[in-house]
Amino acid sequence: MDKINRGGHDTTMGWNTAALFVHKLPAAEVLAALPSRYATEPTGDSVQADGATASFPGDRLYTAERDQWCQVWDPNSLIAFEVDDLSTRGALANTRVLAVLFASVSSSYAFWLYDHGSLARHVFFADGAPVAESGAPLPVEGEVSLPVWGPDEDFLWAVIREVTGTDYTQDARYTVHADPGATGS
């Protein structure tokens, strides 16, 4: 499998971020469904994919809407751990939600897939081995060629492509959202 080129850097440089992919809901509705600690407003800025998927600056969210999927990228990587609550109540319980966690520094990768409020699949890998798992594996999980160290960024992007039809596109634009009270927004 080819490494994903992120702004001139391939994935061997590491990914440390998290994202939600929400089907058929606009970004405004997805952001409104998040807990108040994620309260942000658009800054008027946009960034390319390498900025939205980077691990800094933190304390921001980046959104895009493509092919009926809203993407919310969180450099603080906290949003992925909210997915259980978010996907079983409110607006997100009535659609399909995929959350992904990229933590290459700790060699941890995870995804959660919810269909209309029910967990369909979850797997969390640490150091190449599954440490938490629920639901039947997705077909793509058996189709991805894994490196000797186990699942990595390419594995997660294969899952993202399979579930959402979305791929990493460097020139895609993402809206920057920041805490309205934060300086430098």
Side-chain angles (χ1 to χ4, degrees):
M1 169 155 272
D2 294 329
K3 291 288 184 187
I4 295 170
N5 184 316
R6 183 169 72 184
H9 304 286
D10 69 27
T11 58
T12 59
M13 297 300 293
W15 288 61
N16 295 288
T17 190
L20 287 180
F21 293 80
V22 182
H23 193 231
K24 293 187 177 180
L25 284 180
E29 285 185 42
V30 173
L31 292 172
L34 299 178
S36 62
R37 67 183 150 278
Y38 294 100
T40 60
E41 293 180 1
T43 65
D45 295 328
S46 69
V47 297
Q48 287 185 305
D50 63 332
T53 61
S55 58
F56 55 89
D59 300 323
R60 298 170 186 261
L61 298 176
Y62 301 89
T63 63
E65 295 175 28
R66 281 185 196 74
D67 302 321
Q68 298 188 356
W69 286 88
C70 170
Q71 300 177 34
V72 180
W73 288 87
D74 171 22
N76 290 337
S77 299
L78 301 174
I79 203 165
F81 297 103
E82 305 274 2
V83 73
D84 290 327
D85 288 336
L86 292 172
S87 298
T88 57
R89 61 178 170 75
L92 302 188
N94 298 315
T95 189
R96 194 167 215 209
V97 178
L98 174 67
V100 293
L101 174 68
F102 298 88
S104 65
V105 170
S106 63
S107 193
S108 299
Y109 301 91
F111 74 88
W112 297 255
L113 176 62
Y114 280 84
D115 278 316
H116 295 85
S118 296
L119 181 62
R121 177 68 172 146
H122 165 62
V123 64
F124 193 111
F125 296 96
D127 295 321
V131 294
E133 192 168 3
S134 178
L138 302 176
V140 69
E141 293 179 60
E143 297 167 0
V144 176
S145 296
L146 297 176
V148 294
W149 57 83
D152 61 2
E153 295 87 354
D154 290 332
F155 172 81
L156 284 184
W157 274 104
V159 170
I160 293 167
R161 279 190 299 277
E162 176 71 20
V163 172
T164 71
T166 300
D167 206 345
Y168 182 89
T169 305
Q170 172 55 33
D171 61 352
R173 301 301 295 182
Y174 292 78
T175 302
V176 179
H177 301 262
D179 180 338
T183 58
S185 299

